[in-house]
């Protein structure tokens, strides 16, 4: 196989907003996207269309550079890119000259046949985080990975590749941070010094260009903000999708679905969502209903709605080959299916039998697919679960000759699921009018956060999978995916009662809280575990509902800045080695101020690392000084959860679903701390797009221990809160005899709680 290494520069030219550098092997292009974002594309056959599935931004118009015989130096306010010309290598520095990341001097960018690879220098203390849904440790140093979206049924805790591709990582060394997004949808590879004797890290792909975005912002959070600026951020999710979700493969009839829903209400266990897996369809034909078992879907959703439930139904990409079936007839007539080069439609077997597969890379196909959802939206479905879109088929080996539009399967496979999710999102958004659809997808590529939530596929009912799932949720968060979940309880196998209870307690702090199980497993619903366990499960789900105002405000952050809800401690405590310790690597912050330590179901005490600062145990208000590890009690009734000193956490009373208004009291809990803190509280109707036009209620709540003040800013936005009253609850405060003062007037002497009207004006509380 022919191997080439990028050689000496022949010419340098600036054309508009791109710097073009030619060598004998290839052409390099450099664009500046922002002060801390530089894109490099090195290509043998650059496509002037220059499309990306992930990127939604355009490069800046101008940038500064200087050129000498040996190098080109491109400078922004945040970054310095030194391009050495002989041979052509790309080295990144901070504006003040500290090394962020350099090409390996010898091999830099190189090719082996069609494969394109970049070898980079590895620094002694360098750590890596990212790549989204990947097994292994938080610190990916010493590991290697492949991206090739795969139906990883029955996967173990070390499996790779899995369902999704997020070719974005963050490097951390010498007290500095950088990010790198390799925007290439071919099968790709990342090696973080796994097999190079600590000399190099490298990444590459089976084809396409060496096309990457380099992020030079300092701080993991800032890099994530830049990455999600580039690839987009999530919309506000429907509030109901943040409630408890009950799924199973499958509830076999409308009667069974209703029975499950009724039981939640009877047992008074809050829940918002129930799912129909593949058996609601007629012979697994997408966009059909089985007319015996689901004879009247509208009646079903009406009855569910009356109980405060929403229905989510599954769709797979495989369209059954059956003349007379609408989607088959139309798709075939219009040439909408993936095909071989001779235009014969590709066929593979999956649930419905022999199937064709929509070419979601085409606008007209996506439009057609999206419009087909009337079969589901007309009867009142508002959530759409996209499965099997790696794409999966029996045998798992789609021939490389299959084409999607102009491109062969291996070139774009990793973006297929994302394009299906996009088609689903765009179509259902249109069909639902002003209502927000909920879309959930299994396969994904960078940028999918714009369209859909994701779950981590077919996990298993054992402890190591629960812990891995948490790491994957945390890692997906680094790559812009905030609304993420795992099958609580484990998809494959039957959890022990202890595992079910423990996993459910972790589910409270999982952005998407869904219990799901495989066909043939024992029933999983909260009441299947004996009265005592049911009571614990119920209490935990109630806690989830108490926390919804905090969770929803957390998603507002994801929407605005890309900060995910579940945050690896590596985001806020990057320089603390302990957070990368395998003992503590599953711990995470849920929102700004809740730290959760996942614990196996067989252990009832836990070694928990408390980062610097002060922490309170959620259920007891017991206070701890951080910067050390502790042995925490971890009974099944009380997962170790700690509140950061200074935390401001809005809660509400227990409701049975998000459709209930509740008692109208928004409870603002503040835990005493020595440092000033702030929290942006956000609320809207939770249902429509009116928030895009300013119909929201947003206010900053801040705590100033130095001034002994808690203040609420004036409300921004036109929405009227569903809470008429605010209740302040102070934890760990010493209130002197003077008591609490509201806007200068003493109202509640000596008390730690206070109720006031939720008006839109500024409120100042002194203690
Ligand atoms: O071949 O629809 O990951 O959540 O229950 C299995 C049936 C197909 C795989 C999904 C799983 C779902 C199941 N599906």
């Amino acid at each position: 196989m022919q191997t080439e290494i990028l050689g000496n520069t022949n010419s340098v030219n600036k054309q508009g907003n791109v710097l073009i550098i030619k060598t004998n092997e290839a052409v390099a292009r450099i664009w500046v996207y922002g002060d801390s974002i530089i894109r490099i594309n090195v290509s043998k056959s650059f496509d002037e269309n220059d499309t990306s599935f992930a990127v939604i931004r355009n490069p800046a118009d101008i940038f500064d550079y200087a050129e000498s015989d040996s190098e080109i130096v491109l400078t922004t306010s945040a970054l310095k890119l030194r391009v050495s010309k002989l041979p052509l290598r790309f080295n990144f520095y901070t504006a003040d000259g500290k090394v962020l990341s350099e090409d390996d001097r010898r091999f830099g960018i190189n090719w082996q046949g069609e494969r394109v690879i970049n070898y980079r220098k590895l620094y002694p203390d360098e750590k890596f985080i990212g790549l989204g849904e990947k097994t292994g440790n938080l610190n990916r140093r010493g590991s290697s990975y492949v991206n090739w979206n795969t139906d990883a049924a029955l996967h173990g805790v070390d499996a790779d590749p899995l369902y999704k591709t997020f070719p974005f990582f963050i490097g951390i060394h010498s007290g500095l941070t950088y990010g790198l997004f390799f925007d290439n949808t071919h099968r790709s590879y990342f090696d973080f010094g796994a097999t190079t004797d600590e000399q190099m890290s490298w990444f590459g792909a089976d084809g396409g260009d060496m096309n990457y975005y380099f992020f030079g912002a300092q701080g993991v959070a800032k890099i994530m903000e830049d990455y999600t600026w580039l690839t987009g951020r999530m919309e506000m999710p429907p509030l109901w999708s943040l409630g408890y979700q009950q799924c199973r493969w499958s509830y076999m009839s409308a009667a069974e679905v209703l029975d499950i829903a009724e039981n939640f209400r009877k047992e008074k266990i809050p829940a918002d969502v129930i799912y129909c897996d593949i058996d609601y369809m007629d012979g697994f034909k997408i966009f059909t209903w089985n007319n015996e078992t689901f004879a009247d879907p509208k009646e079903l959703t009406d009855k569910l709605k009356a109980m405060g439930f929403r229905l989510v139904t599954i769709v797979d990409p495989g369209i059954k080959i059956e003349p007379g079936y609408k989607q088959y007839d139309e798709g075939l007539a219009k040439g909408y299916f993936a095909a071989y080069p001779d235009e014969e439609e590709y066929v593979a077997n999956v649930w419905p039998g022999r199937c064709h597969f929509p070419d979601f890379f085409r606008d007209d196909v996506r439009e057609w697919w999206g419009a087909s959802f009337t079969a589901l939206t007309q009867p009142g479905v508002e959530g759409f679960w996209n499965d099997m879109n790696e794409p999966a088929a029996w045998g798992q080996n789609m021939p490389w000759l299959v084409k999607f539009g102009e491109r062969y399967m291996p070139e774009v496979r990793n973006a297929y699921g994302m394009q299906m999710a996009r088609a689903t999102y765009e179509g259902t958004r249109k069909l639902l009018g002003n209502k927000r659809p909920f879309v959930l997808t299994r396969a994904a590529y960078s940028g999918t956060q714009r369209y859909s939530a994701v779950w981590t596929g077919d996990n298993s009912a054992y402890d190591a999978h629960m812990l891995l799932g948490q790491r994957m949720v945390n890692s997906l968060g680094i790559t812009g995916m905030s609304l993420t979940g795992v099958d609580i309880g484990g998809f494959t196998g039957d959890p022990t009662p202890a595992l079910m209870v423990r996993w459910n307690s972790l589910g409270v702090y999982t952005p998407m809280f869904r219990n799901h199980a495989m066909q043939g497993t024992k029933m999983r619903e909260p009441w299947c575990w004996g009265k005592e366990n049911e009571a614990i499960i119920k209490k935990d789900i109630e806690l989830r509902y108490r926390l919804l105002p905090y969770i929803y405000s957390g998603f507002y952050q994801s929407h605005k800045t890309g900060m995910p809800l579940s945050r690896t401690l590596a985001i806020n405590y990057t320089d603390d080695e302990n957070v990368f310790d395998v003992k503590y690597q599953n711990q995470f912050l849920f929102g700004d101020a809740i730290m959760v330590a996942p614990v196996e179901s067989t252990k009832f005490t836990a070694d928990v690392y408390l980062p610097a600062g002060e922490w309170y145990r959620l259920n007891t208000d017991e206070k701890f000084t951080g910067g050390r590890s502790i042995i925490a009690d971890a009974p099944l009734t009380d997962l170790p959860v700690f509140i950061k000193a200074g935390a401001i956490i809005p809660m509400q009373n227990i409701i049975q679903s998000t459709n209930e208004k509740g008692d109208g009291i928004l409870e603002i809990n503040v835990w005493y701390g020595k440092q000033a803190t702030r929290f942006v509280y956000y609320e809207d109707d939770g249902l429509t797009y009116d928030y895009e036009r300013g119909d929201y209620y947003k206010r900053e709540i801040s705590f100033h221990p130095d001034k002994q003040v808690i203040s609420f800013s004036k409300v921004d936005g036109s929405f009227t809160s569903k809470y008429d009253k605010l209740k302040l609850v102070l934890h760990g405060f010493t209130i002197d005899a003077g008591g609490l003062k509201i806007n200068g007037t003493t109202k509640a002497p000596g008390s730690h709680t206070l109720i006031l009207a939720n008006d839109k004006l500024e409120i100042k509380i002194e203690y």
Side-chain angles (χ1 to χ4, degrees), residues 29-86:
R29 289 173 173 77
I30 305 174
W31 298 261
V32 172
Y33 274 68
D35 286 334
S36 49
I37 311 173
I38 291 176
R39 174 185 176 198
I40 295 190
N41 178 293
V42 184
S43 175
K44 288 170 174 292
S45 55
F46 184 72
D47 177 354
E48 293 298 335
N49 285 332
D50 192 24
T51 53
S52 166
F53 299 111
V55 172
I56 56 164
R57 301 286 178 177
N58 294 314
D61 290 337
I62 44 162
F63 57 84
D64 290 326
Y65 77 103
E67 191 186 346
S68 69
D69 288 346
S70 61
E71 67 171 0
I72 302 160
V73 182
L74 196 148
T75 318
T76 72
S77 64
L79 261 179
K80 194 175 289 239
L81 165 60
R82 302 178 83 108
V83 182
S84 73
K85 289 161 77 173
L86 311 166

Side-chain angles (χ1 to χ4, degrees), residues 573-646:
Y573 305 96
T574 315
D575 298 327
D576 185 341
E577 292 285 330
N578 293 313
V579 309
F580 298 95
D581 188 321
V582 295
K583 273 194 301 215
Y584 308 124
Q585 64 176 351
N586 305 316
Q587 290 180 215
F588 62 102
L589 276 177
F590 186 67
D592 290 343
I594 300 181
M595 189 184 65
V596 182
V599 182
E600 290 97 322
S601 61
T602 50
K603 295 188 181 153
F604 306 106
T605 57
D607 184 353
V608 176
Y609 181 67
L610 299 173
E614 291 182 308
W615 301 87
Y616 295 84
R617 179 96 187 220
L618 171 64
N619 280 351
T620 60
D621 273 350
E622 188 187 349
K623 196 169 175 180
F624 299 87
T625 306
R628 63 182 176 122
S629 62
I630 59 164
I631 301 298
D633 285 345
L636 291 177
T637 47
D638 190 11
L639 188 70
V641 174
F642 296 86
I643 306 291
K644 206 172 171 174

Side-chain angles (χ1 to χ4, degrees), residues 151 153 163 247-250 276-279 281 284 314 316 350-351 385 387-388 390 392 394 396 442 455-459 487 491 514 516-519:
D151 175 5
Y163 307 87
C247 190
R248 172 168 194 85
W249 177 16
S250 299
C276 282
D277 204 328
I278 50 177
D279 296 288
M281 292 180 259
F284 305 121
I314 198 169
D316 291 355
V350 68
W351 289 110
W385 176 18
D387 190 18
M388 304 294 270
E390 291 69 34
W394 308 153
Q396 303 292 356
R442 192 170 72 175
W455 93 105
T456 60
D458 299 347
N459 60 358
D487 290 352
F491 179 73
R514 186 180 76 149
H516 181 44
M518 184 166 148
Q519 199 178 40

Side-chain angles (χ1 to χ4, degrees), residues 730 735-736 739-740 748-754:
L730 303 178
I735 312 288
D736 61 31
L740 300 173
S751 166
H752 284 74
T753 66
L754 186 65

